[in-house]
Amino acid sequence: MAVRYRTATGNWSNAAQWDGGTLPTAADDCYCNGFTITLDQDVTALSIRNDSLASPVIAAGGTVSIATLPVGGRTITANLVCNSTTSLLQLTATANTLNIIGNGTRGNTGNGGNVLLLSNC
């Protein structure tokens, strides 16, 4: 299991915006690191998270945004962990299907973010 984190806002598929310059794999814990990630492909990871980490230094916050779902849908295979005041997965698509295979966990953040936030769906 490796820790992977974003270095900029942009598409999930942009390997240059992940630490190390490669896309995460099924064995990776993926941190938003305060950035917005646009989900533009199917994703398989150990977890997708928006909490912080001390080493390496990873900032809390950030989100995975889905505004368009292709015909045939999109699949996320990962545990989703929201431990920030920002909602982790934000879906605004109005057509097609999002499949989530994994568990969703919301940490103790008071009136903080949601694991999944649906808007205009």
Side-chain angles (χ1 to χ4, degrees):
M1 161 178 69
V3 170
R4 301 297 308 276
Y5 57 92
R6 288 298 288 205
T7 59
T9 290
N11 290 335
W12 183 285
S13 65
N14 188 340
Q17 294 176 338
W18 288 98
D19 71 294
T22 61
L23 293 178
T25 70
D28 295 332
D29 287 313
C30 303
Y31 288 80
C32 294
N33 195 25
F35 295 104
T36 298
I37 306 167
T38 301
L39 194 74
D40 64 334
Q41 66 179 54
D42 291 341
V43 169
T44 300
L46 188 60
S47 69
I48 300 172
R49 317 170 65 97
N50 68 358
D51 53 344
S52 62
L53 195 62
S55 180
V57 176
I58 294 175
T63 189
V64 176
S65 175
I66 306 169
T68 304
L69 289 167
V71 173
R74 180 84 60 222
T75 300
I76 298 173
T77 304
N79 293 316
L80 305 175
V81 180
C82 178
N83 198 9
S84 169
T85 57
T86 307
S87 295
L88 174 61
L89 185 60
Q90 296 184 14
L91 176 65
T92 57
T94 57
N96 300 316
T97 303
L98 174 64
N99 299 299
I100 301 172
I101 302 167
N103 297 311
T105 303
R106 183 175 181 271
N108 184 15
T109 59
N111 293 324
N114 304 293
V115 172
L116 174 62
L117 179 63
L118 304 174
S119 301
N120 302 321
C121 295

